Amino acid sequence: MSSSKAEELVNEQAVANKFAAMRSELNQIYSKITELEMDVSEHSLVINAIQPLDPSRRCFRMIGGVLVERTIKEVLPAVQRNKEGIEEVITRLNEALERKKKDISDFEAKYKIRIRKNDSEEKDDGARKEGTAQGVLVGPAGGSE
């Protein structure tokens, strides 16, 4: 009887570890998507800044940690290609994210996993709800009169 209980604990622990690993992978995908979206935003800013300028004008571009002098005519297409490549990667990561969400959902259903909040988190949630319903009390701006 004790051996079956030990096996049950080991199995529960293995399931919990696998679930935690899956959630960690999901968070990594989210963070990578966010990082790449910021890169796309930066590329867009650069494209919008240099597009209206004279194509023969000199500009500088960082390539592999080295600052290289080029013309806008040479740099603009490269920056646009990089932006498109990053957007493709984001699309693939979003697909991977959806697959991972489905895998986690299936895993939760298979092992009947329910996520419980810690007592401290529940108290924090209560405090947040309570705090949003209250007003703010502000004293006079000046010192003593």
Side-chain angles (χ1 to χ4, degrees), residues 20-56:
M22 292 172 81
R23 300 266 310 203
S24 174
E25 288 175 32
L26 188 71
N27 288 336
Q28 288 173 352
I29 294 172
Y30 270 125
S31 63
K32 191 62 179 176
I33 289 172
T34 303
E35 178 186 331
L36 290 174
E37 284 175 343
M38 290 182 70
D39 285 350
V40 166
S41 173
E42 289 174 7
H43 278 69
S44 294
L45 287 172
V46 170
I47 290 168
N48 292 336
I50 67 175
Q51 213 163 21
L53 301 175
D54 178 25
S56 62

Side-chain angles (χ1 to χ4, degrees), residues 2 7-8 10-11 14 20 30 35 37 43 46 58 66-68 74 88 94 98 105-106 117-118 125 130 132-133 142:
S2 62
E7 284 178 27
E8 189 176 305
V10 170
N11 289 339
Y30 270 125
E35 178 186 331
E37 284 175 343
H43 278 69
V46 170
R58 291 182 311 147
V66 178
L67 199 58
V68 180
E74 296 169 326
E88 257 182 62
N94 278 322
E98 292 306 313
S105 174
D106 293 345
K117 289 187 177 183
N118 293 339
D125 287 345
E130 188 177 296
T132 58

Side-chain angles (χ1 to χ4, degrees), residues 13-29 100 103-104 107 113:
Q13 189 62 41
V15 168
N17 290 342
K18 171 85 171 155
F19 184 68
M22 292 172 81
R23 300 266 310 203
S24 174
E25 288 175 32
L26 188 71
N27 288 336
Q28 288 173 352
I29 294 172
K100 184 58 71 178
D103 291 347
I104 288 175
F107 193 80
I113 296 174

Side-chain angles (χ1 to χ4, degrees), residues 5 21 31 33 40 50 67 84 89 95 100 122 136-137 140 143:
K5 242 185 182 182
S31 63
I33 289 172
V40 166
I50 67 175
L67 199 58
E84 290 166 4
V89 171
E95 291 168 0
K100 184 58 71 178
E122 289 173 4
V136 176
L137 181 61

